[in-house]
Amino acid sequence: MVAVSTWKKQLAASISQPSQLVTYFNIDPVPLQAAAERYPMLITPHYLNLIEEPGDPIWRQCVPDPLELVADRLFADPLNEAAFAPVPAIVHRYPDRALLMVAGTCAGFCRFCTRKSRVGRSELCFSSQQVIEGIDYIAGQPGIRDVILTGGDPLLLEDDTLIDILARLKRVPHVEIIRIGSRVLVTLPERITSVLCGKLANFQPLYLNTHFNHPRELTPESAEACARLVDAGIPLGNQTVLLRGVNDDHETMLALFRTLLTMRVRPYYLHQMDLAKGTLHFRVAVERGLEIVEALRGRMSGLGIPAYMFDPPGGEGKLVLTRDRLVGSAEKLRIRTLQGRIIDLPEG
Ligand SMILES: *Cc1c(COP(=O)(O)O)cnc(C)c1O
C-alpha cells in the first residue's frame, strides 16, 4: 500500500460546493450556486477553519459571491497574457523575465484571482510536453535570467514533477534565478514538508513569493511552513492584493506586514487589483491605497513596506503607484503609464 501524504488528504477533503458550507455556517447556499458554477470554488479544511463568520475577510476571499456575476466592463484576460505567449505555457513580457505556467489549479480558488476565468479549467492545464516546450523556449532566449514558476500553483505538483522542471531550468546557463509563486503556505501549509524543502534547497538561488492578504491567515501552521523554507535557504517574499472588505485599512496592513517580518517573509508588492472580470466588488480606489501605504510610513520598518504596484490592462508592464503618477481631479483620477499613456481607472 502506498501511503497518501497528509497534504493530499487535506486537499482531497476540500469543499467545492456552496451546499457544503451549511455544515459549518447558518446560511442559504442557493444564491451562491451560480457564481460557483461560473468560477470554481475550492476551500481546504485549513482555510475553512479560519472563517469566523460569513462575510468576514477570509470568507470574502474564498466563498463565491453573486456579485461576481454582475455585468462589468472588466476583462477575462486583464493583462493580455495571450498576446505575450510565444508558446502556450510561457508569458514573456519583460526582456529578462518570463512566467512558466506549470500547474493549472490551486489549493483554493481566490475570488479575486486575475486568472479566475481560466484557473481550475483546461485552459490553464498545460501538458508536460507543453511545459518542456516552455523550457525549450527559455533555453533559446539568452536574455531571460529570471524564471517565475506559476499557474495555478506550482506546489500542487508532485515533488518529482516539480524537481524535474527545476532541474531542466537549472541546466539552462543563462537562467540565473528561479522564483516560485505559491499560495499553499496560506491554504495548505502541510504541503511544505521537510522532504520538499530538502529537495528545493538544491536549486538555489531559488526564491518563493507567497500571498498572505490578512493577519488571520498568519497561523502557527503557516509560520512553521515559512520557517521550513527559509531554513532551507529559500528567501520568502509576499504579494498582497488590496481588497475591499478584506484589508483596505492601514491597521490591518500594519498587523499583516509586521507579523510577516517576524516570520522572515519580506512584503514585496501590494497590488492594486488587476481589472479581472467578476472582481469589481473587491476594488479599492487608488487614492485609498495611497493613503494606506502613506499611513505605514513612520509606523513601521521600511523593510516591511511593499511597493504599491499596478499592472495596467493590456500588458505594457507593472508600475509603482505614487501620487505623481496620478492626473486629473479626485473625482476622475487617471494614471500615467510607463509609456506615457493616460488611462482611466474603474474604481468600482
Ligand atoms: C509580474 C510579472 C513578472 C515579474 O515581475 P517582477 O516585478 O520582477 O516581480 C514577470 N513577468 C510577467 C509577465 C509579470 O506579469
Side-chain angles (χ1 to χ4, degrees):
M1 201 184 89
V2 180
V4 177
S5 50
T6 311
W7 71 268
K8 283 186 197 157
K9 282 189 206 149
Q10 286 298 305
L11 190 60
S14 300
I15 62 169
S16 58
Q17 298 299 327
S19 57
Q20 292 170 287
L21 289 164
V22 302
T23 316
Y24 312 93
F25 305 101
N26 184 17
I27 57 138
D28 175 8
V30 175
L32 313 181
Q33 208 67 50
E37 276 159 28
R38 175 68 188 82
Y39 302 109
M41 158 180 163
L42 192 82
I43 311 173
T44 60
H46 175 85
Y47 205 65
L48 187 63
N49 256 317
L50 302 185
I51 300 174
E52 287 170 1
E53 57 183 0
D56 77 7
I58 307 296
W59 174 284
R60 284 178 64 77
Q61 292 185 67
C62 63
V63 175
D65 189 315
L67 290 173
E68 293 170 39
L69 302 177
V70 168
D72 57 41
R73 288 180 295 114
L74 306 185
F75 310 96
D77 179 12
L79 303 179
N80 199 15
E81 291 185 326
F84 295 89
V87 297
I90 291 277
V91 182
H92 189 191
R93 191 197 312 282
Y94 304 102
D96 61 323
R97 283 154 282 173
L99 308 184
L100 178 61
M101 326 279 263
V102 297
T105 193
C106 288
F109 295 129
C110 304
R111 308 320 297 174
F112 51 86
C113 177
T114 187
R115 302 195 185 109
K116 72 182 285 170
S117 294
R118 289 180 289 159
V119 71
R121 300 175 187 278
S122 57
E123 288 98 310
L124 216 54
C125 283
F126 300 113
S127 65
S128 49
Q129 192 49 45
Q130 286 172 315
V131 171
I132 288 175
E133 260 171 50
I135 298 171
D136 289 344
Y137 172 81
I138 290 165
Q141 295 282 318
I144 299 179
R145 301 156 180 268
D146 174 356
V147 176
I148 301 158
L149 301 186
T150 181
D153 196 314
L155 293 187
L156 284 200
L157 297 176
E158 301 281 347
D159 286 10
D160 290 351
T161 312
L162 180 64
I163 297 307
D164 178 63
I165 293 169
L166 291 170
R168 287 171 190 269
L169 286 171
K170 200 76 189 161
R171 289 199 287 270
V172 179
H174 52 265
V175 172
E176 294 172 355
I177 65 168
I178 303 172
R179 293 191 249 177
I180 297 176
S182 174
R183 208 178 185 210
V184 297
L185 286 95
V186 185
T187 56
L188 189 69
E190 301 89 342
R191 174 65 185 103
I192 310 299
T193 62
S194 328
V195 172
L196 175 69
C197 293
K199 293 176 184 168
L200 294 179
N202 297 323
F203 296 96
Q204 288 166 10
L206 176 65
Y207 290 74
L208 191 146
N209 270 351
T210 182
H211 188 14
F212 290 99
N213 287 326
H214 192 275
R216 267 180 28 215
E217 295 170 346
L218 305 171
T219 60
E221 294 81 11
S222 288
E224 284 160 21
C226 291
R228 282 194 288 277
L229 283 164
V230 179
D231 288 345
I234 297 159
L236 297 184
N238 187 70
Q239 301 187 198
T240 295
V241 182
L242 179 57
L243 298 166
R244 184 147 100 212
V246 175
N247 57 16
D248 55 339
D249 65 278
H250 73 258
E251 291 302 336
T252 303
M253 289 292 190
L254 199 60
L256 174 65
F257 298 148
R258 274 193 184 142
T259 311
L260 281 171
L261 284 183
T262 68
M263 292 163 55
R264 295 181 287 171
V265 182
R266 169 86 160 90
Y268 175 56
Y269 285 159
L270 172 64
H271 291 274
Q272 176 67 15
M273 239 180 34
D274 291 333
L275 303 177
K277 200 166 212 30
T279 63
L280 198 61
H281 55 298
F282 281 114
R283 296 200 64 75
V284 178
V286 169
E287 174 60 30
R288 179 87 197 104
L290 287 170
E291 280 168 18
I292 291 171
V293 175
E294 286 160 1
L296 298 179
R297 268 299 151 205
R299 283 190 173 84
M300 72 172 301
S301 157
L303 198 59
I305 304 178
Y308 181 28
M309 299 299 288
F310 179 55
D311 218 340
E316 67 186 73
K318 291 185 182 64
L319 53 85
V320 180
L321 281 170
T322 51
R323 288 205 183 270
D324 50 18
R325 284 222 162 271
L326 302 183
V327 291
S329 61
E331 292 74 52
K332 184 69 191 154
L333 267 189
R334 306 175 118 200
I335 285 186
R336 193 165 20 81
T337 70
L338 291 180
Q339 298 175 6
R341 281 198 308 133
I342 307 286
I343 56 168
D344 284 335
L345 272 188
E347 297 286 8

